[in-house]
């Protein structure tokens, strides 16, 4: 039907969103893990409609008892001779069995176990300690060593905090070992706290939905549609890559996975258009990370935002709409600038592909446009008041049903034999199993995040660190605006550095318990504070020197990793400044769609002006004017920074400064031409 190559998954390229790829299992281990993952998926779906009568924490105990052993069987330990690349080693089987025992231990006499809260027996403490070690090991296997070390640091603080000088703000009375295990193993703030609850109740279902969408052929359709939408233009290649990233992001909700999947298809197009590998990789990474910021799925941490603030998920989706548009506006402006620069160098082709172009967008929409129906259904159901969990299950069913006509249309069949139907059912079951396994790293991270939240809650560390952060701002000035601006900048730096070491989910959890209170103390409204933390946690995926999305994109384009990271940072730069608008003034919350329509509109326009100016500064090209010299670029950057301050006067000044760059750019260009002739 199309010359577009098939979508390549992250598994095929050996790139994993959580940095550690899973084993490629075969034989009995593969059947065991696949079957168990399918059972876990069924349990998660059943919990939506018929919750376990013992309560949500009981469900989390069962959920973790099934998921944790799968981690040990699916991920290598990396311990030399104790490890096997082809399948689980003896150690892995032992740890998996041990995980089942210690997780299910409370179930055997659940009510009695709950009654012992604060008075655990020595057996309770022993089992809880083993579970702590297993969770940290599972986290290490899936995400690396950094997050487990962070958890150990919080545990050490909880245990030894009483030895700190009592004059220190972060000193506390100290917790003994039994108290720590009690907080982790037998309370609602430890292993079975909000992070794991969100993972088991929301994240797993949306991950399954993404797997079903890919199985149904939606991912392939989205890329083909992107190619058809921008058939012939100087910026067609870049627009195709960005549009593919946005559409595929609705499937994966993962920055790295989207960058890799999109890159596998669009890199040949970008190469023919004259993009260098690093430049193309940076664009793909930035567009992919936008997937975590984009409704209707957003990233994992967005579900935690809804849970912490006790709002509906559709409310969080509403907050994300305008920032998402601003994010992709910045990338698209950079794409247009790149296209004009490449064209000015005489390297831009006319066609998207060497061979025949795919069918027109209208033909694709008429033939395969039904793939949008499940996404639309989610939004409609959410707006109708249906819970996010039920909405995504209904959408999953619709996507599975739509996989049938997709296969019929692409294969040319008019009907299926019983054998083909059986193969379809097996393939659908495998897709659900793969989707469940893809969520295992997130489950491990969320369980480990319970260590951080429990220790922060028990010791009062969050309030103390928030106080220190505010005190740093007041050390510079007594002016409330300066204190808030300083605190926001310090918080942004802290979140960016934190995101270099730990995954997005853990970064948000840590950031919220520490930085969230600091912003709230300065009278920032809770939605603005939460989305500020959320956005900077997400942007760590394009922040050097780790930038997982950039690393994945570089693997596809064959580029060097570090230059690709800096290229991605350039494309995503406006996104690092827009979240500051949320908190700098009261008007900032209008960017979240909160407030009167006229206020939302003027703040959005001001933000667009700021993004436009920053894109011109970073790209060295002002659309409609041409190339910018050094002085004009600096002036454009100043205009962008001023316009991004949500204040009417600042907006006007920003526009004036931006207009002043035009004559300066013209003068600089004439001087350059004179010097070269």
């Amino acid at each position: 039907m199309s010359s577009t190559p098939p979508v390549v998954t992250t598994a095929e390229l050996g790139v994993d969103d959580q940095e550690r790829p899973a084993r490629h299992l075969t034989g009995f281990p593969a059947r065991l893990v696949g079957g168990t993952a399918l059972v876990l998926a069924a349990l998660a779906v059943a919990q939506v409609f018929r919750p376990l009568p013992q309560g949500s924490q009981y469900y989390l105990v069962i959920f973790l008892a099934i998921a944790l052993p799968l981690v040990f069987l699916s991920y290598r330990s990396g311990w030399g001779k104790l490890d096997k690349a082809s399948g689980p080693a003896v150690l892995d089987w032992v740890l998996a069995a041990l995980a089942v025992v210690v997780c299910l231990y409370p179930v055997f006499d659940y009510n009695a176990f709950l009654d012992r809260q604060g008075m655990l027996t020595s057996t309770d403490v022993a089992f809880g300690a083993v579970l702590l070690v297993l969770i940290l090991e599972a986290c290490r296997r899936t995400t690396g060593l950094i997050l487990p070390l962070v958890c150990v640091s919080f545990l050490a603080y909880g245990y030894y905090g009483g030895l700190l000088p009592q004059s220190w703000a972060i000193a506390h009375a100290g917790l003994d070992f039994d108290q720590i295990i009690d907080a982790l193993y037998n309370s609602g703030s430890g292993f079975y706290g909000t992070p794991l609850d969100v993972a088991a109740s929301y994240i797993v279902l949306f991950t399954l939905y993404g797997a079903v969408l890919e199985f149904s052929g939606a991912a392939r359709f989205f890329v083909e549609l992107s190619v058809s939408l921008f058939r012939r233009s100087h910026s067609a290649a870049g627009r195709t890559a960005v549009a593919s990233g946005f559409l595929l992001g609705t499937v994966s909700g993962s920055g790295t996975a989207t960058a890799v999947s999109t890159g596998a298809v669009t890199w040949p197009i970008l190469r023919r258009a004259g993009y260098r590998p690093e430049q193309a990789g940076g664009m793909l990474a930035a567009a992919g990370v936008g997937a975590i910021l984009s409704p209707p799925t957003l990233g994992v941490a967005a579900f935690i935002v809804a849970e912490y603030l006790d709002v509906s998920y559709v409310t969080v989706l509403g907050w994300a709409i305008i920032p998402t548009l601003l994010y992709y506006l910045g990338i698209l402006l950079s794409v247009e600038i790149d296209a004009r620069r490449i064209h000015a160098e005489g390297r831009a082709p006319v066609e998207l592909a060497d061979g025949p172009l795919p069918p027109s967008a209208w033909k694709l929409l008429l033939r395969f446009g039904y793939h949008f129906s499940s996404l639309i259904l989610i939004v409609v159901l959410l707006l109708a008041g249906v819970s996010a969990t039920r909405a995504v299950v209904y959408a999953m069913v619709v996507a599975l049903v739509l996989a049938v006509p997709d296969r019929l249309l692409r294969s040319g069949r008019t009907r299926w034999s019983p054998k083909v139907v059986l193969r379809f059912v097996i393939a659908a079951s495998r897709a659900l199993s793969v989707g469940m396994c893809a969520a295992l790293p997130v489950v491990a991270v969320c369980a480990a995040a319970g260590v951080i939240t429990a220790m922060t809650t028990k010791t009062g560390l969050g309030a103390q660190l928030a106080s220190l952060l505010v005190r740093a701002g007041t050390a510079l000035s007594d002016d409330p605006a300066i204190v808030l601006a300083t605190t926001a900048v310090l918080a942004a730096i802290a979140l960016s550095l934190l995101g270099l070491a730990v995954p997005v989910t853990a970064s948000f959890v840590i950031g919220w318990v520490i930085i969230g209170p600091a912003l709230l103390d300065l009278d920032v409204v809770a939605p603005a504070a939460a989305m500020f933390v959320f956005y900077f946690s997400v942007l760590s995926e394009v922040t050097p020197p780790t930038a997982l999305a950039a690393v994945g994109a570089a693997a596809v384009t064959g580029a060097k990793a570090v230059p690709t990271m800096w290229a991605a940072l350039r494309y995503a730069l406006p996104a690092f400044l827009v979240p500051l608008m949320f908190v700098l003034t009261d008007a900032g919350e209008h960017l979240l769609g909160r407030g009167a329509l006229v206020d939302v509109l003027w703040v959005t326009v001001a933000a667009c002006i700021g993004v436009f100016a920053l894109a011109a500064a970073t790209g060295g090209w002002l659309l409609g004017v041409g190339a910018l010299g050094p002085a004009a670029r600096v002036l454009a950057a100043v205009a962008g920074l001023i316009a991004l301050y949500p204040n009417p006067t600042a907006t006007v000044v920003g526009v004036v400064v931006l207009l002043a760059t035009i004559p300066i750019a013209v003068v600089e260009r004439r001087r350059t031409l004179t010097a070269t002739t």
Side-chain angles (χ1 to χ4, degrees), residues 513-605:
V513 298
I514 293 174
I515 292 171
L519 297 175
L520 295 176
D521 287 346
L522 294 173
D523 296 327
V524 175
V525 294
M531 296 304 282
F532 174 89
V533 176
F534 170 67
Y535 273 80
F536 276 107
S537 299
V538 168
L539 292 172
S540 63
E541 289 214 8
V542 287
T543 304
T546 53
L548 294 182
V551 172
V556 175
T557 63
K560 295 180 179 178
V562 174
T564 304
M565 293 178 190
W566 289 113
L569 187 63
R570 176 213 146 191
Y571 281 102
L573 181 63
F576 283 85
L577 299 175
V578 167
L580 289 171
M581 295 184 69
F582 299 163
V583 300
L584 288 180
T585 70
D586 292 340
E589 67 173 313
H590 298 324
L591 275 182
L592 304 179
R594 291 166 52 89
L597 178 61
V598 65
D599 293 328
V600 172
L601 288 176
W602 85 256
V603 173
T604 302
V605 169

Side-chain angles (χ1 to χ4, degrees), residues 62-153:
I62 302 297
F63 181 89
L64 191 62
I66 302 175
L68 194 57
L70 293 181
V71 174
F72 295 116
L73 298 179
S74 301
Y75 288 82
R76 293 187 291 272
S77 68
W79 289 343
K81 294 181 179 179
L82 296 176
D83 208 356
K84 279 172 55 180
S86 58
V90 174
L91 176 65
D92 302 318
W93 290 107
V94 171
L95 293 180
L98 196 58
V100 173
V101 173
V102 297
C103 286
L104 291 182
Y105 167 75
V107 173
F108 296 118
D109 196 357
Y110 188 63
N111 290 329
F113 178 77
L114 292 181
D115 291 339
R116 294 197 297 272
Q117 185 173 0
M119 300 175 293
L120 297 185
T121 65
S122 56
T123 306
D124 297 336
V125 173
F127 275 79
V130 172
L131 181 56
L132 170 62
V133 173
L134 291 174
I135 286 175
L136 294 181
E137 168 60 11
C139 188
R140 184 194 68 81
R141 290 188 180 209
T142 55
T143 65
L145 194 58
I146 300 297
L147 182 55
L149 289 178
V150 171
C151 293
V152 170
S153 300

Side-chain angles (χ1 to χ4, degrees), residues 468-495:
L468 289 175
L469 196 61
V470 174
R471 241 181 280 170
T474 56
L476 295 178
S477 173
D478 293 331
D479 188 310
I482 295 177
V483 172
L484 177 57
T486 304
T487 303
V489 171
L490 291 175
I493 294 172
L495 286 167

Side-chain angles (χ1 to χ4, degrees), residues 429-453:
S429 301
R430 187 177 295 117
L432 289 171
S433 177
V434 169
M436 187 67 245
C437 289
L440 292 178
V442 177
V443 173
V445 167
C446 288
V451 175
I452 297 167
T453 55

Side-chain angles (χ1 to χ4, degrees), residues 586-656:
D586 292 340
E589 67 173 313
H590 298 324
L591 275 182
L592 304 179
R594 291 166 52 89
L597 178 61
V598 65
D599 293 328
V600 172
L601 288 176
W602 85 256
V603 173
T604 302
V605 169
C608 289
I609 295 170
V611 169
F612 179 84
L614 288 174
T618 56
W621 193 286
L622 187 62
L623 296 175
V625 177
L628 300 182
R633 293 180 73 169
V634 170
L635 203 59
V638 171
L641 293 174
I642 294 174
L644 285 178
Y645 187 81
N647 177 280
T649 302
T651 302
V652 173
V653 172
V655 171
V656 172

Side-chain angles (χ1 to χ4, degrees), residues 231-517:
R231 298 172 70 86
R232 291 180 175 87
S233 75
H234 294 311
S235 58
R239 290 180 186 176
T240 299
V242 174
S244 299
F246 174 75
L247 291 173
L248 280 179
T250 62
V251 177
S252 70
S254 159
T256 306
T258 302
V260 171
S261 299
T262 305
V265 177
T266 59
W267 164 230
I269 298 172
L270 293 170
R271 183 176 58 236
R272 284 191 293 270
Y275 282 85
R276 299 184 305 276
E278 289 78 12
Q279 187 181 16
M283 179 197 302
L284 292 168
V289 167
I292 315 179
L293 305 174
S294 305
T297 54
L298 292 178
V300 169
F303 298 98
I304 303 180
V305 171
E307 196 72 16
Y308 278 164
L309 298 188
D310 193 24
V311 297
S312 67
Y313 183 61
V314 70
T315 300
V316 179
L317 292 182
W319 296 342
I321 290 175
I322 295 175
T324 297
L325 295 176
L326 292 173
Y327 181 84
Y328 277 104
L329 172 64
I331 297 178
L332 287 171
L333 287 171
S334 296
V335 165
E336 296 298 323
I337 289 171
D338 287 344
R340 282 155 178 75
R341 188 177 296 282
I342 291 173
H343 179 61
E345 296 170 1
R347 294 189 286 129
V350 178
E351 302 279 345
L352 273 177
D354 294 332
L357 288 169
S360 68
W362 285 113
K363 288 183 179 179
L364 279 173
L365 283 171
L366 287 173
R367 195 172 186 189
F368 297 106
Y370 55 78
H371 282 302
F372 282 114
S373 58
S374 64
L375 290 168
I376 296 171
L377 179 64
I378 288 180
V379 176
V380 171
L381 291 177
L382 289 174
L383 292 174
V386 178
S387 68
T389 52
R390 293 199 172 204
V392 74
V393 172
Y394 294 143
M396 201 186 311
V397 173
V398 170
L400 277 173
V401 172
L402 293 179
V404 175
D406 183 89
R407 277 160 170 70
L408 287 173
L409 286 170
R410 293 186 187 276
S411 65
R413 299 175 186 267
T414 57
R415 61 180 181 175
W416 282 358
S417 66
K419 184 182 293 186
V420 175
V421 172
L422 179 61
R423 283 205 299 264
F424 176 83
V425 172
I426 293 173
S429 301
R430 187 177 295 117
L432 289 171
S433 177
V434 169
M436 187 67 245
C437 289
L440 292 178
V442 177
V443 173
V445 167
C446 288
V451 175
I452 297 167
T453 55
M455 291 300 96
T456 304
T457 303
K458 280 285 185 180
T459 61
L461 177 64
Q464 297 300 334
L465 289 180
S467 176
L468 289 175
L469 196 61
V470 174
R471 241 181 280 170
T474 56
L476 295 178
S477 173
D478 293 331
D479 188 310
I482 295 177
V483 172
L484 177 57
T486 304
T487 303
V489 171
L490 291 175
I493 294 172
L495 286 167
S496 298
L497 294 175
L498 179 63
L500 302 180
V502 298
V504 171
T505 308
S507 178
F508 175 80
V509 171
I510 299 171
W512 179 247
V513 298
I514 293 174
I515 292 171

